[in-house]
Amino acid sequence: MVDTMALLHPFSRAARTPRAEPRLSPGFPADDEVLLDVPDDGLGAALVAAARGEHRPAADLLAATRRGADWEGRDRCVRRLAAFACSRAEWFEQWYAADPHDPDARVVAAQLAVDRAWPSPARAELLREVSALITAAARGDDRDPVPWRIALDHARGANAGHKYFEELWEAAVRRAPHHYGCHVAALNYLAAFWHGSHRECLDFADRAAQDAPEDSLVQGLPARAVLAYLTDDCGPEVPRHRLDAAADRAIALSARFPAARPWPAELRNKLMYVLVRLERWDDAYAQLRLIGPYATSFPWDRQSDDPLAQFLRTRDEICSAVLSSPPRHPRSERGGRARSGDH
């Protein structure tokens, strides 16, 4: 459920699989300059301190996100800090033992408990045992939607019924109507609840995006639904125009954020995956320009155990398609589902 991280450092240059000499345009970073899962400066400093056994920078960072009501940034930080604590827990155990009522420590504790239970074959049973931690996190700051996002993920993993999930969803959107993390959690639950019914999931994502501000990350939710569709071989086909419309919405959102920065790269890597699957090579090339040196594990880990190598192979593929072909319409006119063997 959570991207993996290096044990000591929060980002790394992964080992490269030898490949043919790539055809890159001038200005693209070389292979050994591309980094995987790079945090922004504040989170990076907190993770490096945690690797030294120090929890105070992480505590200060999360307290600042709460004071500033930066719920999207808070969610990213909670996920990454909990992922690091899964492998190196000493720093967090000291923090939690020193102040178990700290709302920031509580939300990391809840995320960590869900993360630890998630890979187990007994996931549903184990998740039921961590409900109290999520409740405690939700009581930490009534404005904070992140514990409710964790509760939504928890409900999916615990096979909770639809009525209970709707109650959690209503509580989450009361706190932050356009919180992206909560919307992704709801989308994932609906995908599991309506297995194979990708049109219904895309309907949900489209409605959420239409209601959200133009600069909200929720504008990228339809593309996230399309990504799930393109990596799933069940259910009826979704009309091509809906796939393109979702990608167009995400392209417009991507253009609102600065180029070559770590956190927008999370959106852009997913969007680039979708554009490649739709054979929209010129648009994928444009996102590569905006991504710069920042690859992310998801979605490339859907295709390979070495997501960084997969990103680089895809980058080569995009550059080859664009540089070796005459000018084209940015959209493929081929309808239907774009499958992994199509590109």
Side-chain angles (χ1 to χ4, degrees):
M1 185 175 72
V2 177
D3 292 342
T4 57
M5 303 169 59
L7 290 184
L8 181 59
H9 296 293
F11 50 92
S12 65
R13 291 180 175 87
R16 273 33 172 209
T17 302
R19 309 188 329 279
E21 187 68 22
R23 297 186 60 189
L24 293 181
S25 297
F28 277 107
D31 282 7
D32 61 1
E33 295 174 334
V34 178
L35 299 170
L36 185 69
D37 295 334
V38 175
D40 61 25
D41 291 342
L43 178 57
L47 289 166
V48 171
R52 297 195 300 261
E54 303 169 9
H55 70 266
R56 178 47 52 192
D60 291 345
L61 175 65
L62 287 185
T65 63
R66 187 162 43 85
R67 286 194 303 271
D70 177 13
W71 306 127
E72 302 293 3
R74 181 176 178 81
D75 206 357
R76 286 192 297 272
C77 292
V78 166
R79 289 176 183 272
R80 292 293 293 268
L81 291 168
F84 190 70
C86 275
S87 300
R88 296 282 295 274
E90 298 86 355
W91 65 276
F92 177 70
E93 291 170 351
Q94 293 172 4
W95 177 16
Y96 194 69
D99 192 357
H101 299 292
D102 181 342
D104 305 310
R106 282 183 169 186
V107 73
V108 175
Q111 182 69 64
L112 178 59
V114 171
D115 291 351
R116 285 174 168 169
W118 203 267
S120 171
R123 175 198 301 169
E125 180 180 350
L126 292 174
L127 285 176
R128 293 187 188 101
E129 297 174 2
V130 304
S131 296
L133 284 174
I134 299 174
T135 300
R139 291 172 176 166
D141 187 327
D142 192 56
R143 304 170 303 154
D144 185 2
V146 178
W148 296 92
R149 192 271 303 156
I150 297 171
L152 293 169
D153 285 335
H154 175 272
R156 175 167 60 95
N159 300 321
H162 202 56
K163 181 178 180 181
Y164 175 68
F165 189 89
E166 286 182 346
E167 292 173 355
L168 293 177
W169 171 247
E170 290 173 2
V173 296
R174 279 201 305 272
R175 286 158 175 81
H178 308 300
H179 183 253
Y180 179 69
C182 288
H183 280 78
V184 171
L187 185 67
N188 289 337
Y189 177 87
L190 294 174
F193 189 80
W194 291 329
H195 184 59
S197 298
H198 293 285
R199 292 191 190 193
E200 286 84 350
C201 291
L202 189 52
D203 287 345
F204 167 79
D206 280 341
R207 288 193 299 271
Q210 289 164 9
D211 291 341
E214 290 185 351
D215 60 351
S216 169
L217 289 176
V218 175
Q219 295 294 335
L221 194 67
R224 182 69 179 256
V226 168
L227 190 154
Y229 166 70
L230 294 173
T231 55
D232 186 8
D233 289 327
C234 71
E237 290 193 349
V238 175
R240 174 62 191 247
H241 71 87
R242 296 200 65 185
L243 308 182
D244 282 322
D248 290 342
R249 190 184 286 274
I251 288 171
L253 176 64
S254 173
R256 291 179 170 273
F257 301 130
R261 295 288 298 276
W263 73 262
E266 297 179 17
L267 162 72
R268 290 168 176 150
N269 274 253
K270 292 189 283 284
L271 174 56
M272 190 176 88
Y273 181 100
V274 168
L275 292 168
V276 168
R277 292 293 300 270
L278 297 178
E279 297 183 349
R280 292 176 55 171
W281 301 107
D282 295 321
D283 288 330
Y285 186 84
Q287 292 306 309
L288 263 181
R289 286 286 190 192
L290 294 172
I291 287 169
Y294 300 120
T296 57
S297 289
F298 182 77
W300 312 111
D301 55 6
R302 294 288 189 94
Q303 295 179 294
S304 171
D305 292 334
D306 187 345
L308 182 51
Q310 182 62 42
F311 171 87
L312 293 172
R313 285 192 293 269
T314 305
R315 185 176 74 159
D316 294 349
E317 185 179 10
I318 294 167
C319 290
S320 178
V322 171
L323 297 177
S324 63
S325 299
R328 72 189 78 207
H329 191 281
R331 293 184 183 175
S332 165
E333 295 301 323
R334 183 172 55 84
R337 185 178 303 206
R339 298 187 184 276
S340 58
D342 290 343
H343 57 275

